[in-house]
């Protein structure tokens, strides 16, 4: 297999979107499996939409997913710098070359003039496409226009021949000349447009295979004509199908998280998210659906990317995550849980692996770390930070002539004298149950209500241990004072 040199080239406008994560994953896998290189470059020529913070977030999210790169931001490389805003000279040279060769020209219509041309075209029931006239402005005329405050841009003369792009997913896509325009390659602010910077960089960085979303496919002819004009060879393309929600609408925030960082904050495992993302448009061709990144590198093939829209099934992602959590090794779970806690306001110490291990050990079946935290955080928080659930109080403390409250009062004394170890606590509670002929539930549930306000918590001895003796006694007293008369 020819080495495929691939890249991920995000425009930093926000967090890493799940669709971009898929683009990056496929590019990564294709490079790794073919012995090519994978690079990450920041396409920040759109100053209006630029978000500097996003540059750092994107890198962080990629690494969290386990995708590292051979060249690019943070790591550098022979073709750097890897941020387009730091490469303006290189684009300028190419733009000048196109101007000198008569393949590009100056234009300086104002927004109002362009709008007038657009509405004229609309009146003729046509789409407006900017095309050069017989004559184009000279350099001098462009300079004069600029001096008068007009927006001077450079446009590429797209010519009048149909352009065919060969895409490995969508096949041959031909754009007829009437659908083409003389698009801008240098904006009035002096920055190149995405089209120009993108092809120059792909060429200079040795990229020969491009993965990107299907939404770009209709524009790829622009890259193709530019490449030809600049004497570059054509790369391979795999445009990836659109990602829709379950109703067939464009994936959007209104149905929940769409950014990698948001899933991370909810407590998803990167391996589960990555696995799920790999199936958005790629069909492994076998019943099996669970893959590690290494397995993807081995099995992935462009031939198995489909054309039809991918469905973003949140239930399936949750099921993937639940399974990944239940099959992860204890060490991996502690590491991932700690990573999760570092980004959350929580009362659990992220830097106490021994304690986190114990918390994980006695909690099973949670679907995300967020869910787990929601359940156990109260054990580690302040003693008065929770309210006593009305229903739980009625059922477990007040019923049967306040039997639960009596149990609590007696346990306060017993627990004040019991050694705080699993075995000693279990024994003391069992003995109390036996002596009073009470089932375990009649004792453990009132305790849970006192210690957490609710009836769900880890096994009772563990719950007591997590809260700690002093806090247990304080919480029982607070409960008796709040709930009792
Ligand atoms: N900067 C473009 C984006 O953010 C990349 C397009 C491409 O991959 O060619 O989507």
């Amino acid at each position: 297999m020819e080495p495929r040199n691939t890249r991920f080239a995000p425009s930093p406008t926000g967090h890493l979107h799940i669709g971009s994560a898929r683009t990056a994953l496929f590019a990564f896998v294709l490079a790794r499996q073919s012995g090519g290189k994978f690079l990450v470059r920041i396409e920040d020529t759109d100053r209006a939409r630029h978000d500097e913070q996003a540059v750092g977030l994107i890198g962080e999210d990629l690494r969290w997913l386990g995708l590292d790169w051979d060249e690019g931001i943070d790591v550098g490389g022979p073709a750097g710098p890897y941020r387009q805003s730091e490469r303006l000279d290189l684009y300028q040279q190419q733009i000048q070359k196109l101007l000198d060769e008569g393949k590009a020209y100056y234009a300086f219509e104002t927004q109002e003039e362009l709008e007038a041309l657009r509405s004229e075209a609309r009146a003729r029931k046509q789409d407006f496409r900017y095309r050069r006239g017989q004559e184009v402005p000279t350099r001098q005329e462009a300079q004069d226009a600029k001096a008068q405050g007009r927006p001077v841009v450079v446009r590429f003369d797209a010519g009048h021949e149909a352009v065919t792009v060969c895409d490995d997913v969508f096949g041959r896509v031909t754009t007829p000349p009437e659908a083409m325009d003389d698009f801008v390659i240098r904006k009035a602010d002096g920055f190149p447009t995405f089209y120009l910077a993108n092809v120059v960089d792909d060429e200079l960085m040795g990229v020969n295979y491009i993965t990107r979303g299907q939404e770009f496919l209709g524009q790829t002819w622009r890259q193709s004509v530019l490449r030809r004009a600049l004497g570059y060879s054509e790369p391979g393309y795999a445009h990836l199908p659109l990602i829709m929600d379950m109703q067939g609408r464009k994936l959007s925030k209104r149905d929940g998280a769409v950014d990698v960082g948001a899933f991370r904050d909810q407590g998803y495992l990167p391996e589960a998210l990555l696995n799920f993302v790999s199936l958005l448009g790629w069909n492994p061709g076998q019943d099996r659906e669970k893959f590690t990144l290494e397995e993807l590198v081995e099995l992935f093939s462009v031939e198995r990317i489909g054309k039809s829209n991918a469905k973003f099934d949140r239930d399936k992602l949750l099921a993937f995550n639940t399974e990944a959590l239940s099959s992860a090794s204890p060490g991996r779970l502690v590491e991932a849980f700690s990573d999760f806690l570092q980004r959350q306001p929580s009362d659990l110490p992220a830097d106490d692996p021994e304690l986190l291990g114990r918390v994980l050990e006695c909690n099973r079946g949670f679907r995300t770390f967020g869910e787990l935290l929601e359940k156990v955080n109260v054990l580690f928080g302040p003693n008065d930070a929770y309210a006593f659930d009305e229903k739980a109080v009625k059922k477990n403390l007040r019923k049967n002539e306040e039997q639960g409250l009596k149990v609590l009062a007696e346990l306060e004394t017993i627990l004040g004298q019991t050694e705080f170890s699993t075995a000693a606590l279990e024994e003391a509670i069992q003995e109390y149950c036996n002596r009073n002929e009470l089932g375990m539930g009649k004792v453990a549930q009132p305790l849970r209500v006192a210690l957490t306000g609710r009836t769900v918590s880890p096994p009772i001895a563990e719950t007591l241990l997590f809260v700690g003796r002093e806090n247990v006694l304080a919480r029982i007293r607070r409960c008796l004072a709040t709930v009792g008369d």
Side-chain angles (χ1 to χ4, degrees):
M1 192 191 289
E2 278 284 292
R4 280 175 167 154
N5 297 327
T6 64
R7 47 58 167 187
F8 176 52
S11 304
T13 53
H15 283 265
L16 182 66
H17 188 272
I18 206 78
S20 304
R22 179 189 60 173
T23 299
L25 169 64
F26 289 5
F28 171 93
V29 165
L30 290 170
R32 289 284 175 273
Q33 67 178 201
S34 66
K37 65 179 182 181
F38 171 58
L39 62 91
V40 174
R41 154 179 102 223
I42 296 294
E43 303 212 321
D44 57 350
T45 56
D46 187 346
R47 302 318 282 173
R49 294 173 64 220
H50 184 74
D51 173 359
E52 184 54 36
Q53 218 200 349
V55 178
L57 291 175
I58 290 169
E60 203 186 302
D61 288 344
L62 286 174
R63 286 208 178 86
W64 178 71
L65 286 171
L67 304 177
D68 51 3
W69 49 98
D70 309 300
E71 277 180 37
I73 50 161
D74 303 340
V75 301
Y82 292 89
R83 286 177 72 137
Q84 291 188 331
S85 57
E86 294 168 14
R87 302 169 59 80
L88 299 180
D89 285 354
L90 292 165
Y91 310 129
Q92 184 47 36
Q93 281 165 25
Q94 302 301 309
I95 293 167
Q96 194 56 52
K97 188 169 156 225
L98 293 171
L99 280 167
D100 293 346
E101 291 171 1
K103 294 172 179 169
Y105 59 90
Y106 296 106
F108 40 74
E109 286 82 5
T110 61
Q111 283 308 323
E112 295 72 38
E113 287 165 346
L114 287 172
E115 193 39 57
L117 291 169
R118 258 178 230 123
S119 35
E120 266 174 42
R122 262 198 304 274
R124 280 183 269 117
K125 301 221 177 325
Q126 282 173 347
D127 284 332
F128 171 63
R129 310 220 191 273
Y130 194 107
R131 286 303 207 157
R132 60 171 285 172
Q134 292 285 26
E135 297 291 319
V136 291
T138 62
R139 191 188 166 92
Q140 186 58 51
E141 284 165 339
Q143 273 167 2
D144 294 346
K146 193 169 177 190
Q148 288 161 19
R150 282 179 159 270
V152 178
V153 300
V154 176
R155 287 180 179 271
F156 181 74
D157 183 348
H160 292 275
E161 267 174 47
V163 180
T164 298
V165 172
C166 295
D167 184 76
D168 288 342
V169 175
F170 289 89
R172 290 165 66 84
V173 180
T174 299
T175 308
E178 30 331 332
M180 292 162 36
D181 63 350
D182 290 355
F183 53 95
V184 173
I185 55 174
R186 190 177 73 199
K187 296 177 276 188
D189 64 5
F191 274 68
T193 54
F194 154 69
Y195 306 111
L196 188 281
N198 188 262
V199 295
V200 170
D201 284 351
D202 281 338
E203 177 71 12
L204 296 182
M205 294 176 184
V207 172
N208 61 11
Y209 202 85
I210 291 170
T211 59
R212 56 183 194 170
Q214 186 189 344
E215 60 276 17
F216 288 98
L217 187 55
Q219 305 289 330
T220 306
W221 67 269
R222 291 188 164 139
Q223 264 112 329
S224 196
V225 287
L226 269 178
R227 286 185 158 269
R228 231 177 287 160
L230 289 164
Y232 303 163
S233 59
E234 193 73 353
Y237 281 105
H239 283 84
L240 312 176
L242 301 176
I243 303 176
M244 301 299 190
D245 68 12
M246 296 307 277
Q247 283 75 44
R249 298 172 304 191
K250 200 168 162 248
L251 190 61
S252 115
K253 275 201 179 123
R254 90 193 134 227
D255 321 305
V258 289
D259 294 325
V260 169
F263 287 107
R264 187 177 178 185
D265 287 343
Q266 288 178 19
Y268 281 80
L269 283 174
E271 46 271 44
L273 189 58
L274 203 66
N275 188 173
F276 173 78
V277 163
S278 75
L279 300 173
L280 295 171
W282 174 68
N283 168 5
Q286 42 181 288
D287 285 344
R288 184 177 153 213
E289 281 197 309
K290 301 290 160 65
F291 303 100
T292 63
L293 185 54
E294 292 71 34
E295 289 165 339
L296 286 172
V297 168
E298 209 160 290
L299 291 167
F300 188 83
S301 77
V302 171
E303 292 70 44
R304 292 204 150 274
I305 302 175
K307 289 196 216 9
S308 36
N309 295 344
K311 272 213 175 87
F312 194 86
D313 183 345
R314 291 178 189 275
D315 293 340
K316 181 168 168 172
L317 171 56
L318 195 55
F320 267 45
N321 201 58
T322 310
E323 203 193 305
L325 284 166
S326 71
S327 58
S329 71
R332 171 67 190 128
L333 274 185
V334 168
E335 176 192 48
F337 192 29
S338 168
D339 170 76
F340 166 77
L341 289 171
Q342 271 160 34
R343 295 161 55 93
Q344 304 294 322
S346 100
D347 294 310
L348 252 108
D351 56 357
D352 186 344
E354 198 266 332
L355 176 69
L356 298 187
R358 279 169 48 216
V359 170
L360 289 159
E361 178 68 18
C362 63
N363 282 281
R364 302 263 169 222
F366 57 94
R367 300 178 302 175
T368 61
F369 287 131
E371 233 176 62
L372 173 62
L373 179 63
E374 156 75 20
K375 187 169 144 198
V376 300
N377 195 49
V378 62
L379 301 175
F380 303 91
N383 290 334
D384 57 358
Y386 56 93
F388 299 101
D389 177 67
E390 267 306 316
K391 257 206 203 137
V393 165
K394 217 183 249 166
K395 176 154 181 245
N396 300 286
L397 301 182
R398 290 205 200 283
K399 234 173 63 182
N400 292 339
E401 296 168 4
E402 308 203 325
Q403 189 194 52
L405 287 174
K406 282 183 207 123
V407 167
L408 280 182
E410 286 170 8
L411 282 175
E412 187 195 340
T413 316
I414 295 173
L415 293 173
Q417 296 156 3
T418 306
E419 178 200 327
F420 261 54
S421 70
T422 313
L425 286 166
E426 276 172 356
E427 199 189 307
I429 291 174
Q430 192 58 57
E431 209 220 337
Y432 177 80
C433 289
N434 296 347
R435 195 158 17 98
N436 294 282
E437 291 180 5
L438 290 170
M440 179 56 86
K442 293 270 183 299
V443 177
Q445 291 306 72
L447 259 182
R448 287 201 168 90
V449 177
L451 300 179
T452 69
R454 300 175 301 194
T455 49
V456 192
S457 81
I460 198 63
E462 296 302 327
T463 301
L464 289 163
L465 280 173
F466 288 138
V467 176
R469 189 204 308 265
E470 286 316 308
N471 294 327
V472 165
L473 300 179
R475 287 180 187 208
I476 292 177
R477 283 195 291 271
R478 174 176 166 245
C479 181
L480 290 172
T482 316
V483 175
D485 295 326

